[in-house]
Amino acid sequence: MTPAGPDDVPAEFVRALRSLRAVPVRPEVVLDEVPGPARIAPYSAALTAEVRTARRSVAAEDLASGRFVVLYDPQGQEAWEGSFRLVTLVRAALEPEVGADPLLAEVAWTWFGDALASAGVDPHATGGTVTRVLSQSFGALERREEQTELEIRASWTAWDEDLAPHLTAWTTLLCTAAGLPPLPDGVVPLPRR
């Protein structure tokens, strides 16, 4: 969070950050606080996430990762059409045949919209990109298999300081990109053994 002094931080931004603390996440999702970007807005905060087959296990496989950034400008910014801007990134490895699908970008953007809708988020000034990266190795690395990675970058403006549904939507998007099945309402996942 910038700036460093707690007396300088507007109450609206503090309430927004507190709303994030109560968000329950699936056991496969590991969230960590990291410094927010310093030059984009007067106040910022950020979280990173990893979706893993097992929480904090050395043997766990990474399924997806990402970043959730909260930007706050008490004066608002014209391009944002508001005071709170959320900027997100989701990265996930894909099976090569899925990565080759010509409709992948449209499908991934649908995941984004569905995640927001399922969390009850009505965003505005939404924008983003979907990128697929195909990596082939050569020379001393040619034994590595071909790798396909999906990257979803999105940003939108929140109507108010309750950012909990926005974080819920982002973690849902992470889990979807990671290939985890959705959880029905009221179902709590049990940790894997």
Side-chain angles (χ1 to χ4, degrees), residues 38-58:
R39 295 189 174 112
I40 300 173
Y43 304 93
S44 67
L47 297 170
T48 60
E50 290 181 350
V51 180
R52 303 176 59 109
T53 54
R55 257 183 111 75
R56 306 225 189 248
S57 167
V58 176

Side-chain angles (χ1 to χ4, degrees), residues 35-161:
R39 295 189 174 112
I40 300 173
Y43 304 93
S44 67
L47 297 170
T48 60
E50 290 181 350
V51 180
R52 303 176 59 109
T53 54
R55 257 183 111 75
R56 306 225 189 248
S57 167
V58 176
E61 186 179 332
D62 289 333
L63 302 174
S65 63
R67 188 171 173 99
F68 181 87
V69 177
V70 177
L71 304 173
Y72 177 65
D73 187 338
Q75 305 303 313
Q77 291 193 16
E78 189 175 330
W80 298 357
E81 299 176 24
S83 299
F84 283 102
R85 188 72 177 169
L86 302 166
V87 181
T88 62
L89 166 68
V90 170
R91 283 192 181 118
L94 300 175
E95 299 292 328
E97 59 274 3
V98 174
D101 188 328
L103 297 176
L104 177 63
E106 288 85 1
V107 169
W109 192 251
T110 301
W111 295 342
F112 168 70
D114 291 349
L116 291 174
S118 73
V121 173
D122 177 26
H124 65 284
T126 303
T129 61
V130 176
T131 306
R132 95 183 95 193
V133 178
L134 173 64
S135 299
Q136 286 183 278
S137 300
F138 299 94
L141 302 177
E142 71 184 339
R143 289 190 181 137
R144 288 186 183 174
E145 291 183 25
E146 192 174 277
Q147 295 176 323
T148 305
E149 187 176 82
L150 173 72
E151 186 175 276
I152 304 168
R153 293 179 181 268
S155 64
W156 66 95
T157 300
W159 291 102
D160 59 31
E161 63 196 46

